[in-house]
Amino acid sequence: MSSHTPTIVAGIGVSPGRVVARCVLMPDQAPEPPSGRRLAPGEDVVVAAQRIHAASQRVREALDLAADTATGTAQDLLRTTAAIAADPSLVADAERRVTTDNLVAERAVWDAAEAVSAQFTALGGYFAERAGDIADVRDRLVAELTGMPAPGIPTSTEPFVLVASDLAPALTATLDPRNVLAFVTIAGGPTSHTAILARARGIPAVVAARDAGTAIRTGDLLLVDGAAGTVTVHPDEAEVAALRGHATRTRTFDGVGQAADGHRVKLLANVGDPHDAAAAAASGAEGVGLLRTEFAFLDRTDAPSVEEQIAAYRLVLSAFPGREVIIRTLDAGADKPLPFLASDDEANPALGVRGLRTARLHPDVLDDQLTAIAAAEHAQPWVMAPMISTVDETEDFVAACARHGLDMAGVMVEVPSAALLSGPILASAKFASIGTNDLTQYTMAAGRLLGSVAELSDPWQPAVLQLVAATCAGGAQQDRPVGVCGEAAADPALAVVLVGLGATSLSMAPRALAGVAAVLATVTFDESRRLGRLALATHSAAAARATVRAELPVLVELGL
Ligand code: PEP
Ligand code: MG
C-alpha cells in the first residue's frame, strides 16, 4: 500500500491518453559560472585549458549520437549543434582565456561563447538566428565541465513521465514515445507546436500544470490523463490496476467517417513532414485535410526551389492517389519562423505580415509554390491560403490559383472577419477549412503559445463556436464544403459538436482518427446538432465541455 495520499495537479490536456509511470524531472540547467572566477593558486593552467578540448569532443560525440537516431528537422538541429560544439575557434578562444586570464575552464567557455554570440547577433540574418544554438552549446560545455547533467531529455532505466518547466518543439520532436510515456509542463499553451507535436506523436501530455513544480518530485508515481488535463500524484492502487487493465485496448479506423445514421463526415489527416504521409494513409485517413507546407522548410534562409517543392508534394499526393489532398500555401510568421518570408521587426508578429499576407511582399514565392503544386501531377489538388481576412484577399488568391490551372482554391478561416464574411468569401472560394487554433487565438485575444492565458485559448469557448457556426452557415448558403483542421477536430467530444454546427469534414493528427470515428459513429446527425445547440447556449468553455461530455457517456467507456 502506498503511504501517500493521492493529490491532483490540474493543467490543460493537450494530447489524450492515460498512463501510469514514475516521474523524471527535467534537470536544472547548469547555472552561469561566477563572472571573473579564476583558477586557485597552484592549479595547472595547461591542464585546465586541455579540459576544454576534451569536453568539446565529448559534447560533440553525444550530439552526433543523438542525431544518428533522430530524423528530419530534429536531426539537422542536432548536427548543427554538434558542429558548433567542436568549432576550433570557439575552443581556442576559451583555452586562451584560461592560459592568459587564468579563468576557470567553465567561465572561459562562457565568455568565449558570449563573444561569438555577440558577433553573430551583429551580423544579423542567418547568423543572428544561430545565437540560440551557441547558447545551447555553451550550456552543454559548462554542464560537462562542472559535472552537471547535460541539458536535454534525461534518461532512465525504465519508461517514465517527463515533467519540465517547458519543452521546446525541437526537444519534443526528439522524444522517444517508448521511453517518455507522457509529459507534463508547468508552462506552455494548448495550441503551441509542442502540443501539436505531442498529439502527432501520440504522447499523452498536460501543459500549464502550474503546481507541478512544487507538487512533484523525481521518482513519484504519476497517473497522467492527457484528455482531462490532470496529473494524479501517488494515485491509489485501485486506479492504477483499473488503468493497467485497459492498457491493452487499441482502436483502429476503418477509413469511412460517419455518424450513427450514416451521415458522412470525411475524416482526414493533418500532415507536416511529407515523409509522414504514408503512415497517415495507413491509419485510414480518407485524404489530407491540411498539408502544412512550411513544416518542410522551417529555419530555411532561402525559399525552396520549385523542384524541391514538387518532390515534397509528390510524396504526399502519391500516398493518397485519387483522394482529396488539401495543400496549404506557406504559412510564415509568428509561431512558424520562415526567415525567407517573415519580417523580424514587428512588435506583434501574430498580427503582422504572416500567412497569405507575405505574398504581397513576396509574390514570387507564392507563384513558385502554385507552379510546384500544379506540376505535382495529381488529379485535383485542393489549395488553400492561410490567414485570409477579407473578400479581396480571397478573390486575389482564387485568381492566382486560376492562373496556374488550380480550380479548387479555398481559404482557411482563422480570423474572425473571415468567419463573419464566409458567405461572400465562399462565393469565390470553392471551400473553407476552419483553423480553430488561430481562430481561437484571434477571437479570444490570447496568444496560442502562452500558458498564462491557456484558459482563454480553448476552442470550446462559446464565442469560438459561434464563429464556427457562422462560417458553416456561409458555406451552406453558397453550397460549399466547410471542414475543420484545427486541433479542435481531434477532440472526440468537440468533433461531434463541430459536425452538429455544420462541418462537412474533420482533419486531425492521424492518431486521433480512431477515437473521433468511434464517438461519431455513436450519435446521429440530429443528435450532433442538438449537442451543437447545447454548446452554443453555454457561457463558458468549461460549461460547454462539461455539458456535452455529460451527454456522451461513450467517452468514458472508450477512455476518452
Ligand atoms: C489553425 O490555426 O488552426 C491551423 C490549423 O493552422 P496552424 O496550426 O498551422 O496555424
Ligand atoms: Mg493557423
Side-chain angles (χ1 to χ4, degrees):
M1 282 281 284
S2 162
S3 56
H4 297 282
T5 332
T7 326
I8 293 183
V9 175
I12 296 186
V14 294
S15 179
R18 281 157 59 87
V19 295
V20 168
R22 301 227 167 251
C23 157
V24 174
L25 288 176
M26 188 93 159
D28 286 337
Q29 218 167 287
E32 176 179 347
S35 167
R37 172 172 284 179
R38 300 214 146 54
L39 293 166
E43 257 188 276
D44 190 329
V45 173
V46 177
V47 172
Q50 280 167 349
R51 288 183 62 224
I52 295 175
H53 183 257
S56 93
Q57 292 308 311
R58 281 194 298 272
V59 169
R60 196 209 61 203
E61 279 161 22
L63 286 163
D64 273 335
L65 207 68
D68 289 344
T69 55
T71 52
T73 319
Q75 187 176 52
D76 294 346
L77 220 108
L78 291 163
R79 293 257 184 255
T80 311
T81 318
I84 299 175
D87 178 38
S89 57
L90 173 70
V91 173
D93 184 24
E95 286 173 343
R96 187 190 53 73
R97 288 168 195 265
V98 174
T99 48
T100 57
D101 303 343
N102 250 16
L103 289 178
V104 292
E106 59 273 22
R107 185 67 216 185
V109 162
W110 188 277
D111 289 348
E114 291 295 278
V116 180
S117 185
Q119 282 165 12
F120 274 31
T121 307
L123 285 171
Y126 172 82
F127 288 100
E129 282 147 32
R130 300 280 75 79
D133 300 334
I134 294 166
D136 186 19
V137 164
R138 177 198 66 198
D139 294 343
R140 286 170 193 276
L141 288 171
V142 169
E144 179 68 34
L145 288 163
T146 55
M148 298 274 295
I153 308 300
T155 50
S156 169
T157 48
E158 51 181 62
F160 58 96
V161 174
L162 179 66
V163 178
S165 314
D166 204 354
L167 272 182
L171 269 186
T172 312
T174 65
L175 293 181
D176 180 349
R178 285 166 305 181
N179 295 329
V180 179
L181 299 183
F183 72 79
V184 177
T185 64
I186 298 167
T191 47
S192 64
H193 278 112
T194 297
I196 292 172
L197 278 167
R199 255 188 305 271
R201 316 202 57 225
I203 303 177
V206 174
V207 302
R210 301 218 176 92
D211 297 332
T214 47
I216 302 174
R217 302 263 159 279
T218 286
D220 285 349
L221 191 66
L222 304 179
L223 189 160
V224 179
D225 186 331
T230 55
V231 183
T232 310
V233 193
H234 312 302
D236 63 36
E237 284 178 10
E239 234 182 329
V240 173
L243 181 65
R244 292 202 165 130
H246 280 125
T248 48
R249 191 179 49 207
T250 52
R251 246 187 310 272
T252 52
F253 171 46
D254 66 6
V256 182
Q258 57 188 342
D261 58 347
H263 172 81
R264 279 283 278 130
V265 180
K266 272 194 212 158
L267 298 184
L268 309 164
N270 288 354
V271 174
D273 184 338
H275 293 96
D276 293 342
S283 68
E286 299 184 57
V288 174
L290 167 64
L291 173 63
R292 289 184 163 103
T293 54
E294 64 285 349
F295 265 54
F297 308 112
L298 284 180
D299 288 334
R300 286 275 298 257
T301 47
D302 50 345
S305 68
V306 171
E307 290 68 34
E308 256 179 296
Q309 295 189 60
I310 294 177
Y313 306 150
R314 275 195 186 145
L315 213 51
V316 180
L317 294 165
S318 62
F320 290 92
R323 296 298 187 106
E324 178 178 320
V325 172
I326 306 182
I327 303 180
R328 173 173 78 183
T329 56
L330 292 167
D331 185 14
D335 51 315
K336 307 183 190 76
L338 285 187
F340 57 92
L341 278 181
S343 355
D344 42 12
D345 51 359
E346 293 173 341
N348 217 335
L351 302 181
V353 181
R354 55 162 302 195
L356 182 71
R357 298 170 188 182
T358 59
R360 263 187 267 149
L361 298 179
H362 305 279
D364 47 318
V365 175
L366 176 63
D367 207 50
D368 279 358
Q369 185 164 28
L370 295 177
T371 304
I373 295 170
E377 289 156 18
H378 185 265
Q380 195 188 47
W382 294 29
V383 190
M384 67 180 177
M387 290 292 294
I388 287 279
S389 319
T390 66
V391 177
D392 284 349
E393 281 174 356
T394 310
E395 289 172 353
D396 288 351
F397 180 70
V398 171
C401 289
R403 284 197 292 278
H404 288 85
L406 296 165
D407 290 336
M408 284 307 288
V411 293
M412 283 196 77
V413 173
E414 317 189 80
V415 180
S417 63
L420 296 170
L421 290 180
S422 69
I425 283 178
L426 283 165
S428 54
K430 292 269 172 60
F431 66 95
S433 184
I434 306 177
T436 46
N437 307 335
D438 277 313
L439 186 60
T440 305
Q441 152 161 280
Y442 295 123
T443 304
M444 303 308 297
R448 61 191 273 181
L449 303 178
L450 292 178
S452 50
V453 290
E455 282 88 353
L456 294 170
S457 328
D458 185 333
W460 280 96
Q461 287 284 354
V464 177
L465 299 179
Q466 300 267 7
L467 289 170
V468 169
T471 311
C472 295
Q477 202 186 343
Q478 306 289 350
D479 202 17
R480 304 283 204 213
V482 174
V484 176
C485 64
E487 297 303 310
D491 170 338
L494 189 46
V496 170
V497 169
L498 297 170
V499 169
L501 297 179
T504 53
S505 64
L506 300 171
S507 190
M508 64 202 80
R511 284 173 195 271
L513 287 164
V516 168
V519 176
L520 188 61
T522 66
V523 285
T524 62
F525 183 42
D526 271 353
E527 184 63 7
S528 74
R529 289 176 17 169
R530 185 180 73 82
L531 295 177
R533 284 193 297 274
L534 276 181
L536 283 181
T538 61
H539 292 166
S540 73
R545 182 186 278 110
T547 307
V548 172
R549 287 190 71 91
E551 298 283 321
L552 290 170
V554 63
L555 292 169
V556 176
E557 276 164 41
L558 296 176
L560 295 164

